[in-house]
Amino acid sequence: MEIEKEVKKITLGHEIGAGAACLKCKDKCEGFELHFWRKICRNCKCGVEDHDVQLETEENKKVGKLFEDTKYTGLIAKLKRDGIPSYRGNQVTISISAATVSTATPVPAASLIPGSSQFSAPSAQPAYSPPAAAVHPPATGPTAAPGTGSSAAPGTGRTSASGPGHSAVSSAATPTKGPVAATTVVPSPTPVLAKTDVVKSVTYEWAPPGINQSLALLYMELLPPERRPIAGTAGADYRKKQMAKQLPDHDQDPERCHELSPSEVKLMQQYVRKYKDEALGVGDITLPEEMGQQAGTAGEKGPQGLGAGGKPGAGTTGTPGDKGDAVATMGKVGSPGAAGMSPAGPVGNYSCHRCQLPMKKGEPAVYAERAGYDKLWHPACFVCCTCNELLVDMIYFWKKGQLYCGRHYGDSEKPRCAGCDELIFSNEYTQAEGHNWHLKHFCCFDCDCVLAGETYVMENEKPVCKPCYMKNHAVLCAACQNPIEPEAQRVSYGEHHWHAEPQCFQCSCCSKGLMGQRFMAMQGMLLCSVECKKKITAS
């Protein structure tokens, strides 16, 4: 019964993504078919992350399993239908106001009245519209002195000192006949280009939970453009690949490993418990100026001083039960020591722990609880110390003052099999070609035959048995057209190869052996002299 259960489990695992197209090999791959233990496609040798496989549900379960039985309980939700913990993905859609250019007709702030020094100004009070200003120009007599006319007072709605409703009259003009009204001519405004705001929506496959959208958007803008997980872009694809690479499920779940013995299962469970207790964490977003504003509980107790729900300090931006409840959210917490006296210097003078450049006020920064509250990182600097890749979803492993992704933390703790990609919990394993291997996994990369005591060739850093090498990888001799054995000496020139033997490496014209001699090559032919070249050319 147990055997049937195990076979069923393996079969279901291999059905995930079956037949999916390879995004790298295109039509060369017949479709994804998972190798029995190598974690790659049997058809094209590419990983599952290189195929068009929808892994969101599986990845959520994987991360849920990772944080199971840790203080980050808000990150997971127990699925009652099958009891499998699941990660709550934080896909968000953010509305962004983008400036666009459109045509607008301006309204002049003031219009000059012809023939006078007066200006007709629009009212600052929307409820009042002043009448058009009229002037009484002189028919004879003195001319109005420039600058002596009354100017409309801006913002009052009046066109003269006589109050609303009265026409502006030139004080220097002495009319001799009846008043003649002169209509003010206001030039027609010219349409100009103006900027208006258009709201567009951007969906991120993941964004830091527990913070407001404006801070989340600032965080995203500080990441390299090609690393922003915007749905349908290279950044979202990058996150998908890093999720598979940085957090391999076979590093945390014995059921995902191939044929572990009971003792190996026990050792793996101890390893998982250790990193959950000592290393695993999730980065959180804060503002540098908030780090030293108060020396609260977190400052007094140090990195382990947590408030309710595993959150440091008292200030939180998430509400219980929301997606932000997952991460230890920063709020206003105190760094060790009195306010303004933190090891990082005065408030707002923090430097990035990785690049040592100062943190800017108002720009989001990342902190890691296990590292202590005196350390901050720029969003683009929160990377694994080994592979220098952004820590996917800010999930980190802290060890000896360094940030690791899950994969390279595992590599720092245990040897990793170059065949199955699993950590090795056995005391006996093989070391060859600078790599570690399970004893049963030092096999030919092409046919899976065991290579212990056999001749093999390293091809693209993968061991290949001699028959497979001769069939799939060996180069052909340009003279005899036979494959060149891996142990045989050969001569290479450009893209052409020859057996290093007189009967193969010889002049194509006179058959003179060229080993140790000067020669010239022409269209894949070997020539010993200019005379032979002329003969070949003439023929």
Side-chain angles (χ1 to χ4, degrees):
M1 187 66 181
E2 291 297 326
I3 295 177
E4 291 179 358
K5 182 179 179 181
E6 184 68 21
V7 170
K8 181 179 181 182
K9 184 182 301 179
I10 293 174
T11 303
L12 291 175
H14 281 64
E15 288 177 353
I16 298 175
C22 181
L23 302 176
K24 292 176 63 176
C25 302
K26 306 297 182 182
D27 295 337
K28 295 180 180 179
C29 176
E30 298 177 3
F32 182 70
E33 182 182 354
L34 186 62
H35 188 279
F36 190 66
W37 51 266
R38 286 193 187 274
K39 320 295 189 299
I40 59 174
C41 175
R42 296 182 64 178
N43 294 321
C44 66
K45 311 296 186 184
C46 295
V48 62
E49 67 274 10
D50 296 317
H51 290 75
D52 189 19
V53 180
Q54 300 303 318
L55 292 173
E56 183 177 357
T57 301
E58 292 298 319
E59 296 292 359
N60 287 345
K61 289 182 179 180
K62 176 178 70 175
V63 180
K65 182 75 173 178
L66 179 68
F67 286 103
E68 188 180 21
D69 300 327
T70 69
K71 62 185 176 183
Y72 299 98
T73 52
L75 279 173
I76 62 176
K78 294 287 185 180
L79 302 182
K80 296 182 179 180
R81 61 179 181 271
D82 54 12
I84 301 175
S86 180
Y87 178 51
R88 278 197 236 172
N90 192 42
Q91 185 184 79
V92 297
T93 299
I94 299 179
S95 298
I96 304 172
S97 295
T100 59
V101 178
S102 60
T103 302
T105 303
V107 177
S111 301
L112 176 65
I113 300 176
S116 75
S117 61
Q118 300 177 15
F119 286 82
S120 173
S123 171
Q125 301 176 5
Y128 173 68
S129 299
V135 7
H136 300 275
T140 60
T143 304
T148 61
S150 299
S151 299
T156 63
R158 301 180 180 181
T159 57
S160 71
S162 59
H166 292 272
S167 301
V169 179
S170 174
S171 61
T174 305
T176 57
K177 295 184 180 181
V180 178
T183 304
T184 302
V185 179
V186 179
S188 178
T190 304
V192 296
L193 295 178
K195 289 186 176 181
T196 58
D197 287 340
V198 175
V199 178
K200 65 176 182 178
S201 297
V202 178
T203 299
Y204 291 92
E205 295 289 348
W206 172 87
I211 60 176
N212 59 54
Q213 284 196 358
S214 61
L215 192 59
L217 184 59
L218 281 175
Y219 167 85
M220 290 298 178
E221 290 176 347
L222 292 175
L223 297 180
E226 68 278 7
R227 297 291 184 258
R228 298 170 189 167
I230 300 175
T233 67
D237 186 55
Y238 169 80
R239 176 181 174 266
K240 172 187 171 183
K241 290 183 177 181
Q242 291 305 313
M243 180 68 76
K245 182 178 180 180
Q246 294 184 21
L247 302 173
D249 51 5
H250 46 269
D251 277 16
Q252 56 170 306
D253 189 354
E255 292 184 357
R256 298 287 185 172
C257 298
H258 180 65
E259 296 180 354
L260 292 182
S261 66
S263 61
E264 289 174 321
V265 170
K266 185 176 180 179
L267 288 172
M268 183 174 185
Q269 290 172 340
Q270 293 173 354
Y271 160 78
V272 171
R273 188 69 263 164
K274 177 186 175 183
Y275 74 61
K276 286 187 176 183
D277 292 341
E278 300 178 3
L280 177 63
V282 182
D284 203 359
I285 304 299
T286 186
L287 295 174
E289 59 267 27
E290 292 184 354
M291 288 297 283
Q293 286 185 357
Q294 63 181 19
T297 305
E300 296 172 359
K301 295 183 179 180
Q304 301 302 321
L306 299 176
K311 297 182 180 181
T316 59
T317 55
T319 57
D322 67 1
K323 295 180 180 179
D325 194 47
V327 184
T329 313
M330 190 63 197
K332 295 182 179 180
V333 302
S335 54
M341 298 293 291
S342 68
V347 175
N349 288 343
Y350 281 86
S351 295
C352 175
H353 186 65
R354 180 172 185 262
C355 70
Q356 300 303 312
L357 295 177
M359 312 298 295
K360 295 182 180 179
K361 184 177 180 180
E363 288 191 353
V366 185
Y367 83 96
E369 177 194 330
R370 292 192 185 274
Y373 298 104
D374 59 331
K375 299 178 181 63
L376 289 178
W377 286 263
H378 292 116
C381 291
F382 200 63
V383 300
C384 171
C385 67
T386 301
C387 62
N388 292 321
E389 298 289 353
L390 286 177
L391 292 168
V392 63
D393 291 11
M394 297 195 299
I395 298 171
Y396 69 87
F397 292 74
W398 182 255
K399 179 181 178 182
K400 296 181 179 179
Q402 298 282 356
L403 290 171
Y404 290 86
C405 66
R407 169 175 293 276
H408 291 111
Y409 173 82
D411 291 348
S412 72
E413 291 285 313
K414 298 289 182 180
R416 187 179 296 277
C417 177
C420 68
D421 197 48
E422 297 173 13
L423 297 176
I424 300 175
F425 293 95
S426 171
N427 292 328
E428 296 182 352
Y429 58 92
T430 298
Q431 288 185 321
E433 305 295 337
H435 296 286
N436 304 304
W437 316 76
H438 285 114
L439 295 178
K440 57 190 176 185
H441 289 165
F442 188 58
C443 304
C444 172
F445 191 66
D446 288 359
C447 70
D448 291 336
C449 71
V450 178
L451 295 175
E454 302 293 335
T455 300
Y456 66 89
V457 182
M458 293 301 292
E459 187 69 24
N460 296 323
E461 298 186 355
K462 304 293 183 183
V464 178
C465 67
K466 184 177 178 180
C468 286
Y469 175 83
M470 295 297 291
K471 177 183 178 182
N472 303 323
H473 306 284
V475 296
L476 299 180
C477 175
C480 68
Q481 295 299 308
N482 291 323
I484 302 176
E485 295 79 1
E487 64 272 12
Q489 290 186 335
R490 67 182 181 187
V491 179
S492 299
Y493 184 82
E495 298 179 354
H496 302 284
H497 310 274
W498 296 266
H499 286 104
E501 299 174 1
Q503 62 270 28
C504 289
F505 194 64
Q506 61 180 357
C507 178
S508 300
C509 180
C510 66
S511 300
K512 176 183 176 181
L514 296 176
M515 292 299 298
Q517 303 295 320
R518 295 174 63 87
F519 68 93
M520 62 182 72
M522 184 180 69
Q523 298 177 354
M525 296 184 294
L526 299 174
L527 302 170
C528 64
S529 62
V530 176
E531 288 75 14
C532 286
K533 179 180 179 181
K534 290 180 179 179
K535 291 179 182 179
I536 292 292
T537 304
S539 61

